[in-house]
Amino acid sequence: MSARETFGYFGPEGTFTQAALGQWHHQHNDAKAAEALLAESVPYATVPAALDAVREGEVDAVMVPIENSVEGGVSSTLDALNSEHSEGTLRLVGEVLVPITFVLAVRPGTREDAITGVGSHSHAWPQVRGWMAKNLPGATYVPTLSTAAAAQGLARGEVGQYQAAVCAPMAAQVFGLETLATDIGDNVGAVTRFVLVKRARGRDGGSSTPEPTGHDKTTLVLYQHDDRPGGLLELLEQLATRGISMTRLESRPTGAAMGSYCFSIDVDGHVADERVGEALMGLQRVAAQVRFLGSYARADRRPVDVRPDASDEAYVAAQEWLDSLR
């Protein structure tokens, strides 16, 4: 009997990331097993710490946030996944979409007129800025490692800079805080995307990349040889000519010099698909570097729309035709 997988998440307890991991467990296990797995999961204070834990074998997989429908990509995750330390060692193997709802939480008995500072994560604050301007215009924003960390610090009385926290309802409940206001987000329908990360090679030495499902996406980081007119277009043409849709494109500084950027992208399809494999080979030829972060099933299970000339059958037929000429 094989050992049960172990899991971690960007914590502490009460984060949206913990909720995402719970959702993942419920999708892949029965209710009893899902609750047990979540209870045994290990929280990590930062995204890099969570990724280090899976890389070093402390846990088999970790859940981390990667993209928000309001603020875009989570830079700490994108940069940690793209670091030289992570290159080739980690794989994204799944994703979860979690609706985001914020509350204003305080220590029991705290009055609204006593709030001069509000603690929360840097991705949460822009999502409640309008509500804050209207309801607590004099309150100062105090950044914290996570929304749950804001609630935890407040509950423990460890902070003096803020008297309220913007957090998930779950965090307010976990840490015994009182909720002064609910649904304070400015954008109804805000969603955060989380990814499950494993080591690139499993315990048996095999690839961690899941089998294709027909509703997959692939995450890559692309580097240019140099910054020149048309450089990005040259990279993206490798996708367009093969009928591959791109669902996310973000530039991130490489750290090498001012103005030096790489590109983090998501595309429809799986590395096992002929068109995606051909595109990766094309990118490998024209890019300075291609970092493959993983192919995995889309959370929304939307099938990939593949035009006839980009199907696996079309690529196989073209290869057979070429072989007949040689």
Side-chain angles (χ1 to χ4, degrees):
M1 181 176 177
S2 61
R4 187 163 71 171
E5 283 190 312
T6 56
F7 294 83
Y9 61 94
F10 170 44
E13 186 180 4
T15 56
F16 290 107
T17 316
Q18 185 189 29
L21 184 57
Q23 186 173 317
W24 174 270
H25 287 325
H26 279 281
Q27 289 172 353
H28 294 82
N29 303 278
D30 59 63
K32 186 175 181 180
E35 292 302 321
L37 284 167
L38 188 60
E40 296 166 4
S41 298
V42 183
Y44 293 94
T46 65
V47 169
L51 296 179
D52 283 343
V54 73
R55 185 186 298 106
E56 295 167 6
E58 292 180 22
V59 291
D60 293 307
V62 293
M63 187 71 75
V64 294
I66 194 170
E67 182 184 9
N68 179 268
S69 61
V70 177
E71 285 295 289
V74 179
S75 57
S76 60
T77 301
L78 294 174
D79 292 344
L81 287 170
N82 186 40
S83 70
E84 292 184 3
H85 192 40
S86 296
E87 185 182 358
T89 64
L90 300 177
R91 286 287 182 273
L92 311 187
V93 299
E95 68 174 13
V96 177
L97 301 177
V98 177
I100 303 300
T101 302
F102 295 108
V103 300
L104 184 71
V106 297
R107 290 172 64 89
T110 301
R111 293 164 51 91
E112 187 173 308
D113 57 12
I115 299 173
T116 59
V118 180
S120 196
H121 188 260
S122 59
H123 260 252
W125 187 253
Q127 299 180 61
V128 300
R129 188 179 287 126
W131 188 93
M132 287 293 167
K134 180 179 179 180
N135 295 275
L136 290 173
T140 301
Y141 164 55
V142 180
T144 60
L145 289 175
S146 66
T147 56
Q152 183 183 54
L154 189 62
R156 291 178 176 177
E158 298 172 345
V159 295
Q161 303 100 319
Y162 62 90
Q163 300 77 38
V166 170
C167 61
M170 177 182 177
Q173 181 179 359
V174 164
F175 296 112
L177 297 175
E178 179 182 336
T179 299
L180 288 187
T182 61
D183 295 323
I184 64 174
D186 299 331
N187 296 273
V188 177
V191 173
T192 293
R193 180 164 73 103
F194 299 84
V195 288
L196 190 70
V197 185
K198 291 186 176 182
R199 289 183 293 279
R201 295 288 172 182
R203 294 174 180 176
D204 61 357
S207 172
S208 294
T209 301
E211 293 295 317
T213 65
H215 47 259
D216 305 291
K217 69 170 56 170
T218 294
T219 300
L220 307 167
V221 181
L222 308 177
Y223 286 77
Q224 300 179 93
H225 283 287
D226 51 57
D227 184 14
R228 66 181 186 279
L232 177 58
L233 176 61
E234 183 180 21
L235 299 178
L236 300 184
E237 282 177 339
Q238 300 299 319
L239 306 174
T241 57
R242 294 171 176 88
I244 297 174
S245 294
M246 184 171 56
T247 58
R248 182 182 62 86
L249 168 63
E250 297 185 57
S251 62
R252 294 296 306 156
T254 65
M258 180 66 72
S260 176
Y261 289 88
C262 58
F263 302 97
S264 177
I265 68 172
D266 292 335
V267 301
D268 277 342
H270 192 283
V271 66
D273 298 334
E274 294 291 338
R275 67 189 183 283
V276 177
E278 289 275 352
L280 288 176
M281 288 192 290
L283 288 167
Q284 180 66 14
R285 291 196 310 271
V286 302
Q289 187 178 14
V290 179
R291 292 186 178 178
F292 172 75
L293 297 186
S295 291
Y296 48 94
R298 293 175 60 103
D300 60 10
R301 298 299 189 264
R302 181 176 66 79
V304 176
D305 184 19
V306 183
R307 68 192 193 200
D309 65 306
S311 67
D312 282 2
E313 293 77 11
Y315 273 95
V316 170
Q319 184 64 56
E320 291 174 348
W321 173 79
L322 179 61
D323 290 343
S324 72
L325 304 178
R326 290 175 168 171

